[in-house]
Amino acid sequence: KGVVVGGRGVGSGENMERLCRLAELLGGAAGGSRPVIYDGWLPMDRMVGASAAILAPEKCLVLGASGAAAFAVG
């Protein structure tokens, strides 16, 4: 399946909730970058990247996150 990942650039916890709904509509899961997790917009078990979950989704949509190298590794 796929994953939709949000970074701090999505702007707010409310926008992160929208991202979660988008992931659900697309039949995937939602995840967040380290700053999103540390800001409390998603729980720790949703962190994606080099310092967190290692994934191999068929598709990955990343919104508002910097650090392409961390996502490529993660």
Side-chain angles (χ1 to χ4, degrees), residues 36-56:
V36 163
I37 303 305
Y38 289 171
D39 286 348
W41 298 350
L42 284 177
M44 184 67 87
D45 65 348
R46 296 297 185 116
M47 188 185 311
V48 176
S51 60
I54 305 297
L55 305 174

Side-chain angles (χ1 to χ4, degrees), residues 2-21:
V3 64
V4 180
V5 179
R8 189 177 279 154
V10 301
S12 68
E14 182 179 315
N15 288 339
M16 189 57 63
E17 289 175 21
R18 290 183 177 119
L19 184 142
C20 290
R21 287 195 301 273

Side-chain angles (χ1 to χ4, degrees), residues 34 48-57 60 62 66-74:
R34 185 182 349 202
V48 176
S51 60
I54 305 297
L55 305 174
C60 181
V62 181
S66 62
F71 282 105
V73 170

